[in-house]
């Protein structure tokens, strides 16, 4: 099965040796997104603003792949402070409806560019 690279200017450009997403068949593997504004490449200020930006970035990648966040089957959330878990749930509810994707939340020591939250996703289109 062939693979194709998904790229959009509506999400931050890759800041390393990776693609925003890779599509294989009807499955899209989205790289982790942090709270960078794609226009300025500046980090959003504060946990909630970063979390909103993370989901906006994932939404932009999903759109570029020909899908939407409704196609998400799996999310992984990375938090530098697990005390923010409830806030992630609150923000996530703005972007996802039932049935929700499967999800893991992981506490980490630090994230790129001093981010407070990061998320990646797997989408199944169609």
């Amino acid at each position: 099965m062939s693979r194709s690279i998904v790229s959009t200017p509506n999400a931050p450009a890759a800041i390393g040796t990776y693609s925003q997403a890779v599509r294989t068949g009807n499955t899209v593997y989205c790289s982790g997104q942090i709270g960078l504004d794609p226009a300025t490449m500046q980090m959003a200020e504060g946990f909630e603003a970063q979390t909103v930006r993370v989901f906006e970035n994932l939404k932009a990648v999903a759109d570029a792949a020909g899908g939407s966040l409704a196609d998400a089957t799996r999310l992984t959330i990375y938090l530098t402070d697990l005390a923010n878990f409830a806030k992630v749930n609150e923000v996530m509810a703005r972007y996802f409806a039932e049935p929700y994707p499967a999800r893991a939340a992981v506490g980490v020591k630090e994230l790129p560019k001093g981010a407070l939250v990061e998320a990646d996703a797997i989408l199944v289109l169609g």
Side-chain angles (χ1 to χ4, degrees):
M1 191 173 291
S2 67
R3 67 183 195 148
S4 60
I5 302 305
V6 177
S7 181
T8 177
N10 297 322
I15 54 175
T17 54
Y18 62 92
S19 301
Q20 289 174 328
V22 176
R23 181 175 178 167
T24 302
N26 66 341
T27 304
V28 180
Y29 301 90
C30 300
S31 292
Q33 291 291 326
I34 58 177
L36 288 177
D37 181 292
T40 65
M41 293 300 283
Q42 296 297 310
M43 188 70 66
E45 290 189 32
F47 183 80
E48 183 170 355
Q50 284 188 28
T51 305
V52 167
R53 186 75 256 164
V54 163
F55 287 119
E56 287 293 324
N57 292 342
L58 281 175
K59 180 179 179 292
V61 174
D63 291 346
S68 72
L69 290 180
D71 298 309
T73 58
R74 176 81 160 98
L75 292 173
T76 305
I77 311 278
Y78 306 90
L79 300 164
T80 59
D81 185 349
L82 287 172
N84 289 319
F85 186 73
K87 181 58 77 174
V88 167
N89 282 334
E90 180 184 312
V91 174
M92 192 175 154
R94 300 178 207 168
Y95 291 89
F96 296 89
E98 292 187 44
Y100 299 119
R103 182 185 74 181
V106 181
V108 298
K109 181 180 176 187
E110 58 188 325
L111 292 165
K113 296 198 171 277
L116 303 172
V117 59
E118 179 174 355
D120 61 36
I122 299 172
L123 312 174
V124 177
L125 307 179

